[in-house]
Amino acid sequence: MADSIRIAGIMRESIVDGPGIRFAIFCQGCPHNCPGCHNPETHDFAGGVDVKIEKLLEEFDKDPLLTGMTFSGGEPMCQPEAFAALGREVKKRGKDITIFSGYTLEQLIRIGSKDAATAELLLMCDVLIDGPFIEAEKDLTLQFRGSRNQRVIDMNRTREEGRVVLLED
């Protein structure tokens, strides 16, 4: 079981990385390399630092105002065991989880059919912002995302209804 996550950094109180006040973790490593990416420094899998999950939770627990935690990147789905371990602890605290992924939900479901940690991580996700950043689709007026192709998916309603349900603005 993973006990650390390779990260590029954290933001202790973010209002742009998902609904509410978020503790955002920017993981290190991304295979997508989207042209125009907002966080290109997170692409190199050899960059960043390893941080113990326990340490991240200590920092998270210091702020009672937090709505939940955001897993961003880089690509969090490249470290599914570690993020699933962290996610279990976030859920024990009654907080929600938002995940940014360059993969689409449909791709993640396929990956999860072969990888238990990815499937578990997807199950604990409350909001998924999915799809690669596409520079030609860039729109700075969008909430929580950078390009029009990306979706902000209400994962709880999506699971309940058996179809993709977008989070209402």
Side-chain angles (χ1 to χ4, degrees), residues 45-133:
F45 283 90
V49 295
D50 285 322
V51 177
K52 295 282 187 195
I53 290 170
E54 180 181 293
K55 178 70 174 156
L56 293 168
L57 288 166
E58 285 173 17
E59 292 301 311
F60 180 69
D61 290 341
K62 288 179 182 177
D63 191 342
L65 299 177
L66 294 172
T67 308
M69 193 176 282
T70 296
F71 305 157
S72 191
E75 176 57 68
M77 294 302 186
C78 288
Q79 299 183 63
E81 294 87 4
F83 277 106
L86 177 58
R88 284 190 292 276
E89 294 301 318
V90 171
K91 288 297 190 176
K92 284 180 189 174
R93 288 158 169 78
K95 303 291 184 169
D96 65 58
I97 296 172
T98 294
I99 301 173
F100 283 79
S101 178
Y103 295 107
T104 63
L105 173 59
E106 294 77 11
Q107 290 171 315
L108 291 171
I109 290 169
R110 281 194 300 277
I111 294 167
S113 72
K114 298 177 185 99
D115 181 73
T118 299
E120 180 185 10
L121 186 52
L122 206 49
L123 275 174
M124 61 180 81
C125 178
D126 297 287
V127 175
L128 175 69
I129 294 94
D130 80 335
F133 172 77

